[in-house]
Amino acid sequence: MAVYHFNRRGGDLIFRAGDQEVNVVHLQLVEELLKLLEKGVSVLLTGPHGVGKSIAAYTAAYLILERGGVVIDLASDTATFAEYLRIAKRAKWAFAIFDAMPPQFYSESEIWSEHATLWRDRCGQIMARADYVRRLGFPAVVVLASDLATRCRKELAQYEKITTTPDVKIAEEIFLRNGDVFCGEDYAGEVVKRLAHFGEGLYFMAYHVAKTLHYCDEDPEQRVKSAIDAYVERLTTLARALYINTCTAARVFVQALAARGLPPPLASLAVHHDVVDTRIRSLEKLSSLLDKLSGPHREYVKILALQAAEDLKRLMRPHWQIKALSGGLGPLYEEALKKAAEEAVKKCGVKPAEVKIRALVKAFVIAHEAGDDLAKAIIAIAVGENPCRGKIKALCRGDTLQEEIIHAILYPTRLSVEIPPSEKTGLVLYAGLRAEEVSEKGWIEVLNYLYEASERGRVDLRPFRDYVDHALRSGSPITKRLALAAVQNAAVVPGDLLAQALVTAVELGVDYESLLDKYVETVGDASLVVEKCGEKCGDVIIVVGVASAARRAKETPCDALRQLEIALIGAGYADVVNKYQPHRRCIQPI
């Protein structure tokens, strides 16, 4: 146990780490911890790596030993643990401790990372021991980095949580007290200033620079870089032990690392991406059979469908790696995780698979029977409201549905068309139907709803773009004008829809100046108008081409030249442009 590596020397507290000695700097956290332990309060010490959690815990343990107390090691074997308890019952004071990354980790990371793997595999047993100790009347201290604190969260919720943060003044004192050469406070300040912005590993890296500094004229930047490399190397060892101890674990780790930006249910499905499609197809077939059967056969199929849905839900329960990797881990730990992932690729030949977010969302909606909530979320997106409602809220981060998830729901067509809502009223009905399945009356209802919403606030036409497009192309003159008004008022309009609106405005002979400005501002590419309208929109093509060229001239002059070519095509000089194609000879500046 790390506490036995502490000793007093001339009033200073010294910790031996491998073949090196650390002159321990007093942390205010130690006093706070001792006060809580004296009151019998159990504590969870958590925070980033390398910011003094373990040193604080074991400094408190050493002070308790000096006062005649007993420190119980929760990671000890059964016989030793029983002996600790026997001694503790005779002592006037005792407390138990478990540290997933003891102070010795930074000197012998290969060996001491075993404590972290012990927590990974047996956190339940460790917490059961801690609970037994607490029932005997002794408090417990559990020391975990933020990512490891995602294991056994229910049990840890009973502990007083203290989150440690690095202190620049403490880091400077660590540097000054542990250096083999004294280079003054200014040099210490320069070193710590370069290290502090990472928000992790500050105390270890300050100590590392102090111990590796031989002359005061050495460049602080180089010393800092060496300390960062040493810190990342140790965290890579930790990540290797935690996440890629087997090839099966490595596969999960690599996929979880790639998918951790998604909400937990979808990230968990991404880890099991190889079976998700099969499960979805099975559940869809069973659901379709339910509408065709009756009597006992229908009941049997219903049971099978419920079982299939539960199987999908089980896949959505966040794996502990998803929880551990989803938090803010710090840039240096991120670098270590990437190195571990690269090792996993070399060691096991695993690499992150391409996962279709739409398939993951579809699996979630089908398994949770959330078709109605999906349709309502799509309508909310259209009228500028928050789509995080009902069961769809589980797919949000905080109170926001990520843009990539919105895109997956809306493209290539509304997901509610594939999973129709059971509700058949109002806009919810139309969300579950394609525009071609609805009469012009239905288009008008949707357009009226969107236009009225645009009068009140922000409207996004992406969810119902097919209704607007059909109205612009095939509607009566009145319907087309309504569609043009909806496009003009909307805040978000797909480029192809804006192009079609321009074409329709030209056909109707109505003023299109404001649409033209909106198209240039939003799309800035005349080629879409050429594709949809051709020569009959020559004037529009000329204006859009020249305006788009002006917008692009500074950043991408070759693209600007291409827009001028399109303008010439609109003016009737297509043969000349196709013959010389000047944009192909343009060299884009770097």
Side-chain angles (χ1 to χ4, degrees):
M1 189 162 48
V3 69
Y4 300 117
H5 292 257
F6 284 78
N7 61 78
R8 293 277 188 189
R9 188 181 300 163
D12 291 334
L13 190 60
I14 305 297
F15 172 72
R16 174 165 287 280
D19 57 354
Q20 290 186 332
E21 289 186 344
V22 181
N23 195 321
V24 178
V25 173
H26 180 74
L27 302 173
Q28 190 62 39
L29 176 61
V30 175
E31 302 302 326
E32 183 182 355
L33 187 57
L34 284 172
K35 286 179 183 177
L36 289 170
L37 292 175
E38 285 171 358
K39 295 176 183 177
V41 177
S42 294
V43 177
L44 166 64
L45 270 182
T46 187
H49 295 279
V51 294
K53 300 183 299 296
S54 299
I55 288 293
Y58 283 107
T59 298
Y62 183 78
L63 294 175
I64 287 172
L65 284 178
E66 284 187 325
R67 300 173 191 177
V70 173
V71 180
I72 303 167
D73 183 6
L74 292 172
S76 57
D77 61 66
T78 304
T80 308
F81 179 67
E83 183 64 17
Y84 275 129
L85 292 179
R86 187 182 63 80
I87 297 170
K89 288 174 183 177
R90 298 204 308 263
K92 60 179 180 180
W93 193 19
F95 85 99
I97 186 169
F98 175 82
D99 187 354
M101 291 174 62
Q104 303 99 307
F105 168 80
Y106 288 100
S107 59
E108 299 170 304
S109 51
E110 291 280 356
I111 297 171
W112 291 98
S113 57
E114 289 181 4
H115 272 61
T117 60
L118 181 65
W119 177 257
R120 176 197 67 196
D121 299 332
R122 298 173 56 191
C123 71
Q125 294 180 32
I126 292 166
M127 294 307 295
R129 275 189 175 186
D131 189 50
Y132 180 72
V133 169
R134 292 171 68 201
R135 288 200 302 272
L136 293 176
F138 307 128
V141 174
V142 179
V143 187
L144 300 168
S146 301
D147 53 326
L148 291 173
T150 57
R151 295 283 283 159
C152 290
R153 283 195 292 189
K154 184 178 178 181
E155 293 86 346
L156 290 171
Q158 304 171 32
Y159 285 56
E160 180 80 17
K161 183 179 178 181
I162 300 177
T163 302
T164 58
T165 53
D167 186 308
V168 170
K169 294 296 182 185
I170 296 292
E172 289 179 4
E173 191 176 348
I174 290 170
F175 179 86
L176 292 170
R177 291 181 62 175
N178 285 281
D180 294 328
V181 293
F182 182 77
C183 297
E185 293 182 1
D186 289 344
Y187 194 98
E190 281 298 312
V191 168
V192 171
K193 183 174 72 175
R194 287 171 164 82
L195 294 171
H197 74 275
F198 292 110
E200 57 172 320
L202 179 58
Y203 296 169
F204 165 75
M205 290 190 288
Y207 173 81
H208 187 277
V209 174
K211 283 299 182 185
T212 56
L213 184 67
H214 300 298
Y215 305 101
C216 292
D217 59 354
E218 292 184 54
D219 182 7
E221 193 64 43
Q222 292 300 317
R223 293 293 90 222
V224 165
K225 185 178 183 305
S226 173
I228 290 171
D229 291 343
Y231 177 70
V232 171
E233 179 189 348
R234 283 156 176 78
L235 290 190
T236 303
T237 302
L238 173 68
R240 192 186 301 125
L242 279 175
Y243 299 116
I244 59 173
N245 54 314
T246 66
C247 284
T248 301
R251 183 192 67 79
V252 173
F253 167 65
V254 169
Q255 196 64 48
L257 198 63
R260 61 188 169 148
L262 296 172
L266 300 189
S268 297
L269 282 173
V271 170
H272 304 286
H273 66 93
D274 49 338
V275 298
V276 168
D277 284 341
T278 305
R279 299 282 174 87
I280 291 174
R281 284 196 295 272
S282 298
L283 189 51
E284 284 179 326
K285 288 177 182 177
L286 290 168
S287 298
S288 65
L289 275 174
L290 281 173
D291 299 329
K292 301 173 184 177
L293 298 174
S294 60
H297 296 293
R298 189 178 191 281
E299 291 302 314
Y300 177 69
V301 172
K302 187 176 181 180
I303 291 169
L304 291 178
L306 288 172
Q307 289 175 343
E310 285 302 317
D311 288 342
L312 264 177
K313 287 179 185 177
R314 274 194 288 273
L315 296 181
M316 293 175 208
R317 291 172 190 162
H319 192 277
W320 79 269
Q321 291 191 2
I322 295 289
K323 297 175 184 176
L325 297 171
S326 294
L329 301 176
L332 300 182
Y333 194 23
E334 291 284 355
E335 186 180 337
L337 291 171
K338 287 177 184 175
K339 287 188 175 183
E342 289 168 5
E343 288 185 26
V345 171
K346 293 177 183 176
K347 175 184 173 183
C348 302
V350 296
K351 59 181 181 179
E354 285 189 27
V355 177
K356 295 178 180 177
I357 298 176
R358 185 179 175 91
L360 306 183
V361 176
K362 186 176 181 179
F364 176 89
V365 173
I366 290 175
H368 288 88
E369 297 180 347
D372 287 353
D373 288 334
L374 173 65
K376 290 172 183 176
I378 289 171
I379 295 168
I381 294 168
V383 297
E385 296 176 359
N386 190 345
C388 298
R389 53 185 65 192
K391 294 174 182 176
I392 301 301
K393 192 172 178 63
L395 302 183
C396 297
R397 281 193 172 277
D399 214 27
T400 304
L401 191 62
Q402 294 167 249
E403 185 57 39
E404 60 182 327
I405 296 177
I406 292 175
H407 188 275
I409 289 172
L410 301 182
Y411 292 93
T413 186
R414 290 179 303 282
L415 186 58
S416 54
V417 171
E418 297 180 27
I419 313 170
S422 58
E423 189 176 323
K424 302 296 181 184
T425 58
L427 212 61
V428 174
L429 167 65
Y430 295 118
L433 297 171
R434 293 181 175 86
E436 56 265 30
E437 299 172 337
V438 177
S439 67
E440 187 170 348
K441 182 183 176 182
W443 304 346
I444 293 171
E445 282 189 46
V446 173
L447 289 171
N448 274 325
Y449 188 93
L450 294 174
Y451 180 75
E452 289 171 8
S454 69
E455 295 287 295
R456 299 189 301 270
R458 185 178 184 276
V459 164
D460 184 341
L461 293 187
R462 291 177 300 169
F464 293 97
R465 64 191 179 280
D466 54 335
Y467 283 86
V468 182
D469 186 58
H470 273 69
L472 288 169
R473 290 173 182 273
S474 310
S476 65
I478 294 176
T479 304
K480 287 180 178 180
R481 287 174 185 271
L482 179 58
L484 287 174
V487 170
Q488 181 56 51
N489 279 13
V492 181
V493 186
D496 59 339
L497 210 56
L498 264 174
Q500 184 58 50
L502 277 171
V503 174
T504 302
V506 170
E507 290 174 353
L508 293 175
V510 299
D511 179 61
Y512 54 77
E513 195 66 32
S514 56
L515 277 174
L516 200 58
D517 293 341
K518 189 168 190 172
Y519 182 87
V520 171
E521 181 71 26
T522 306
V523 183
D525 183 0
S527 60
L528 269 177
V529 183
V530 174
E531 289 174 15
K532 290 181 175 292
C533 195
E535 294 180 359
K536 64 181 179 180
C537 294
D539 291 344
V540 174
I541 294 168
I542 291 169
V543 175
V544 173
V546 174
S548 300
R551 285 172 57 84
R552 299 180 184 215
K554 185 176 180 180
E555 300 293 332
T556 54
C558 291
D559 290 341
L561 182 58
R562 177 56 185 158
Q563 292 302 312
L564 288 175
E565 288 179 9
I566 296 172
L568 285 171
I569 291 170
Y573 294 98
D575 292 342
V576 177
V577 171
N578 292 332
K579 181 177 180 180
Y580 295 104
Q581 298 183 333
H583 80 281
R584 293 188 180 276
R585 302 187 183 189
C586 180
I587 300 174
Q588 196 91 12
I590 298 174

